[in-house]
Amino acid sequence: QVQLVESGGGLVQAGGSLRLSCAASGPSFITYAVGWFRQAPGKEREFVAGVSWGGTDTNYADSVEGRFTISRDNAKKLVYLRMNTLQPDDTAVYSCAAKTGPVSADKENYNYWGQGTQVTVSS
C-alpha cells in the first residue's frame, strides 16, 4: 500500500517556475515507478513525466520536454517535478501516481494516486 500527497502548487506568472513534491508513505515505495499527470478543466488527465524506481529512467510528454524535470529521493520518499518556463497551457491539477514495474505514460497502469495540487499560470 502506498499513499501519496502532493504539494508545491500555486499561482505563478508565465515564464516562472514551480517545484512540486510528491510525498509517499509505505515501506515498498522505493520499488514503485512514479508518474506526474495533470488535468485541466474540461480535458482528460494526461501524462506529464515519469521516473523509474531507481531514478535512472525518465520519460516526458513532448509538451514539457526540456522545461520540466522529474527526480526522486528514495531515502526521503519524495518525488519532485521541477517546472520551468511555465505557460498558461500548463494550468491544471497536477497529481502523482505510483505503479509497480517500469515507467508508463498510461494512467490506467497506475495503482495509487494522490489528491492533486493546483497549478495556475497567469499570462
Side-chain angles (χ1 to χ4, degrees):
Q1 188 81 10
V2 176
Q3 295 182 325
L4 305 170
V5 178
E6 302 91 340
S7 62
L11 174 64
V12 64
Q13 289 187 331
S17 298
L18 282 175
R19 189 182 75 164
L20 306 182
S21 297
C22 173
S25 63
S28 60
F29 171 72
I30 62 172
T31 66
Y32 283 75
V34 173
W36 281 98
F37 292 79
R38 66 186 182 187
Q39 187 168 20
K43 294 186 178 181
E44 290 194 1
R45 180 177 284 176
E46 65 175 359
F47 173 78
V48 176
V51 61
S52 60
W53 70 269
T56 55
D57 295 327
T58 57
N59 190 17
Y60 297 92
D62 289 343
S63 59
V64 307
E65 181 83 54
R67 299 189 298 126
F68 291 11
T69 303
I70 189 170
S71 61
R72 68 189 294 165
D73 184 337
N74 283 338
K76 297 181 179 178
K77 295 186 178 180
L78 287 168
V79 177
Y80 304 104
L81 184 68
R82 177 68 180 182
M83 307 185 295
N84 295 328
T85 320
L86 283 162
Q87 300 300 318
D89 285 349
D90 295 317
T91 295
V93 174
Y94 284 71
S95 301
C96 61
K99 66 179 294 293
T100 56
V103 176
S104 172
D106 187 348
K107 58 183 180 293
E108 301 299 327
N109 290 336
Y110 287 79
N111 308 104
Y112 304 101
W113 290 84
Q115 292 299 308
T117 185
Q118 176 70 47
V119 171
T120 303
V121 184
S122 63
S123 57

